[in-house]
Amino acid sequence: ARMDQQRGLEMAPVDIGEVVTEAVTDFEAVEPDRPVDMTQTGRSTVLGDRNRLRQVVDNLLSNVRTHTPVETPVRVIVTPETGFVEIAVEDEGPGISAEDRERVFERFWRADPGRVRSRGGTGLGLAIVTSLVQAHGGTVAVESELGRGTRFTVRLPTTPMAMDAD
């Protein structure tokens, strides 16, 4: 509802690697038994709302926690490229069917319609991710194969300041 009200973003230069590192650290504190690997190559600054960008990463990690067993490894990869930074969150979980992949970013949609909120969330997490990433001029995509895992990829434009520093 807040996104629908067009609440403005508090835009400032943000070190996206710091944001991702903080989110991964908190994720590890909640699930200390889950294997987590974070890789960051270089630094990237984006012009964005730090809290909302943190929410994007938190929601993607929450999805892993909700939809995969605790022993399922998760990898978070931050890769700066010319003009953008890519954040990937990938797991080796059960995967998402092709039919479900077409709908995962829809509001209130759940892969298992019988799932109740207490066991699976509201169906808003990925819709919020999409809305926030688009508000930052970026894109989000999903790749998945049943039985082999899922990868969500967020691409955000970097600021000219970051390009000069790189």
Side-chain angles (χ1 to χ4, degrees), residues 5-21:
Q5 293 172 1
Q6 299 299 317
R7 190 172 115 197
L9 299 175
E10 295 178 22
M11 304 298 266
V14 176
D15 181 333
I16 200 66
E18 283 182 11
V19 170
V20 173
T21 299

Side-chain angles (χ1 to χ4, degrees), residues 11-80:
M11 304 298 266
V14 176
D15 181 333
I16 200 66
E18 283 182 11
V19 170
V20 173
T21 299
E22 290 169 8
V24 168
T25 300
D26 287 352
F27 178 80
E28 289 174 315
V30 172
E31 285 200 350
D33 295 332
R34 184 180 296 270
V36 178
D37 179 45
M38 181 177 162
T39 305
Q40 180 177 341
T41 57
R43 293 184 59 185
S44 288
T45 301
V46 300
L47 185 60
D49 185 316
R50 188 179 209 291
N51 293 330
R52 296 302 190 190
L53 291 169
R54 170 66 190 265
Q55 186 177 4
V56 166
V57 181
D58 285 342
N59 284 5
L60 293 174
L61 290 170
S62 176
N63 233 36
V64 172
R65 189 172 34 252
T66 301
H67 298 290
T68 68
V70 72
E71 66 274 4
T72 303
V74 60
R75 283 175 300 286
V76 181
I77 306 152
V78 180
T79 311

Side-chain angles (χ1 to χ4, degrees), residues 91-108:
D91 64 62
E92 296 175 13
I96 305 169
S97 72
E99 178 181 315
D100 289 347
R101 278 193 310 272
E102 294 177 15
R103 302 197 60 201
V104 295
F105 297 109
E106 292 178 19
R107 287 180 181 188
F108 305 111

Side-chain angles (χ1 to χ4, degrees), residues 60 63 87-89 96 104-105 126 140-142 150-154:
L60 293 174
N63 233 36
I87 305 160
V89 176
I96 305 169
V104 295
F105 297 109
L126 292 175
V140 61
V142 61
T150 302
R151 176 184 173 108
F152 285 93
T153 305
V154 171

Side-chain angles (χ1 to χ4, degrees), residues 108-145:
F108 305 111
W109 185 84
R110 298 182 189 156
D112 177 2
R115 202 169 68 219
V116 293
R117 182 175 180 179
S118 63
R119 291 188 298 143
T122 60
L124 283 173
L126 292 175
I128 290 168
V129 166
T130 300
S131 192
L132 290 173
V133 169
Q134 288 175 348
H136 283 86
T139 62
V140 61
V142 61
E143 299 170 57
S144 187
E145 187 176 336

